[in-house]
Amino acid sequence: QIPKDPTQRWLRELAAMSQQLQQVHPNVLAKILKQRTLYQNEEIVVIDKPYGLPVHGGPGIKNCIADVLPILAKMLENMRAEPLHLCHRLDKETTGVMVLARSKEAAEKIRLLFKTRQVEKIYWAIVLGDPDPVEGVVEIPIVEKEVKSHQSHYKMTLAPRFRVCPEDGRVVKARGDRHAERAVTRYRRLAAASACSLLQLQPITGVKHQIRVHLAYGLGCPILGDHKYSHWSKLAPQKLPELTLRRLKLEQSKARHLPLHLHAQRLSLPLGQPLDFVCKLPLFFQKTLRKLELDIPKD
């Protein structure tokens, strides 16, 4: 039964997104990833990672990319192909460019390129609000902490090295957290409308959930659909501005169905000659841009 109302139809599509790939047979999943192959040579395979598909397995996860790499390798090459290897990770909800290696040696070489920050990564995100300034660099260390609330859980958070003195407003050095990792994210606003902005992001470092934490807690602009980092102490759906809800034709009670709007748009890999991969925005992201009247810059 497909709803006639386009908003209801869109809602149903959004609600189904995360479940879809968890219900298919591993062979079907490998076939989907094969269809989403952007590039391959003797060393690497580059795919367009779909929404809601975890890279690694875990509790309650039936399907993940790691598990289908041997099947995908056979589909791409021949029946005796060596399984593909993971070189980096993207969050379950993040879409876009992902590099896989055809051998252990190639995987180690590419992991080292990521580790030594020789890989240039560009992401696009729709965020709530408008960053101030509209372009800049967020350089605040990040650490994992336990959130003690009625539902205790862990999340990444900022561990700033400086704080403002409440007495006189002076900036003083804070006591550093020895577990905190250095995190640097460059950002630039591409468009703004409907109480939201479209940002281009370049993470210089690669800390877990770095972009999400820097945007939500560093700039006060959480990513649209980021229900985890829109609040600190509770696990609850993101609260959306009235104008955003109106443009999306959504009620606040249905906001929980909104997916994370974070896309790995471009990746440059210096393997011999520089290889540049670009991944177009997923359909749901394009629809949201249209609904919010956020115009993609033409350059």
Side-chain angles (χ1 to χ4, degrees):
Q1 185 62 33
I2 297 167
K4 282 197 168 63
D5 175 33
T7 303
Q8 288 301 320
R9 204 161 54 235
W10 192 55
L11 248 180
R12 185 173 291 193
E13 280 168 26
L14 296 181
M17 275 177 73
S18 264
Q19 280 81 49
Q20 281 165 344
L21 295 171
Q22 285 303 303
Q23 268 128 32
V24 299
H25 189 278
N27 288 358
V28 176
L29 181 57
K31 206 170 174 182
I32 290 167
L33 295 181
K34 184 189 174 198
Q35 287 162 352
R36 298 175 76 100
T37 300
L38 302 172
Y39 174 87
Q40 52 180 315
N41 65 14
E42 60 288 342
E43 278 193 300
I44 60 169
V45 173
V46 181
I47 60 165
D48 173 4
K49 181 192 163 299
Y51 184 86
L53 181 62
V55 172
H56 297 284
I61 290 170
K62 190 168 163 268
N63 277 333
C64 67
I65 291 177
D67 288 351
V68 298
L69 291 182
I71 311 168
L72 178 60
K74 285 177 181 172
M75 284 182 177
L76 289 170
E77 274 224 22
N78 54 43
M79 293 316 284
R80 290 201 308 280
E82 183 187 339
L84 293 160
H85 301 265
L86 295 167
C87 301
H88 62 120
R89 50 167 298 169
L90 289 177
D91 290 349
K92 176 186 166 186
E93 296 93 353
T94 306
T95 54
V97 186
M98 190 168 179
V99 181
L100 306 166
R102 288 198 190 272
S103 66
K104 270 202 178 88
E105 300 73 47
E108 275 160 24
K109 185 161 77 175
I110 292 161
R111 281 183 206 130
L112 188 64
L113 291 175
F114 273 97
K115 205 174 169 183
T116 51
R117 297 176 196 148
Q118 293 182 65
V119 180
E120 188 186 320
K121 298 166 286 181
I122 299 291
Y123 288 76
W124 278 20
I126 299 175
V127 301
L128 301 184
D130 207 6
D132 182 18
V134 294
E135 189 173 335
V137 176
V138 182
E139 185 170 353
I140 309 172
I142 288 174
V143 71
E144 189 162 32
K145 286 229 169 104
E146 185 179 6
V147 181
K148 290 181 167 55
S149 63
H150 66 290
Q151 271 176 297
S152 277
H153 58 287
Y154 284 87
K155 59 170 75 162
M156 307 305 281
T157 190
L158 301 177
R161 299 225 167 97
F162 299 92
R163 62 183 181 83
V164 176
C165 243
E167 295 83 43
D168 54 10
R170 272 184 321 122
V171 175
V172 295
K173 215 163 170 32
R175 201 175 77 225
D177 188 314
R178 62 193 174 90
H179 299 296
E181 291 183 74
R182 180 172 178 257
V184 184
T185 309
R186 193 174 278 145
Y187 72 93
R188 180 164 73 96
R189 189 186 72 185
L190 301 176
S194 316
C196 292
S197 303
L198 173 65
L199 303 187
Q200 180 179 288
L201 304 140
Q202 185 186 1
I204 309 299
T205 52
V207 181
K208 181 183 172 185
H209 295 175
Q210 172 182 319
I211 291 176
R212 295 165 67 177
V213 172
H214 272 171
L215 292 181
Y217 302 150
L219 286 173
C221 294
I223 298 175
L224 182 68
D226 195 347
H227 307 292
K228 181 167 186 160
Y229 288 106
S230 293
H231 318 274
W232 168 247
S233 60
K234 57 184 178 176
L235 291 164
Q238 187 176 51
K239 184 116 180 58
L240 297 177
E242 206 52 56
L243 178 57
T244 309
L245 288 169
R246 214 166 45 243
R247 288 273 162 84
L248 292 173
K249 294 190 167 71
L250 268 190
E251 295 158 36
Q252 178 57 46
S253 62
K254 299 283 191 282
R256 67 182 186 280
H257 296 306
L258 271 181
L260 182 79
H261 286 69
L262 177 63
H263 177 67
Q265 192 248 353
R266 212 182 101 221
L267 190 141
S268 296
L269 203 57
L271 275 181
Q273 83 274 34
L275 296 170
D276 210 29
F277 307 109
V278 177
C279 224
K280 67 176 205 290
L281 292 167
L283 219 51
F284 77 87
F285 200 121
Q286 292 178 41
K287 276 188 182 174
T288 303
L289 285 174
R290 279 200 300 275
K291 284 170 183 275
L292 294 174
E293 297 174 9
L294 281 165
D295 295 324
I296 297 180
K298 292 286 179 276
D299 58 33

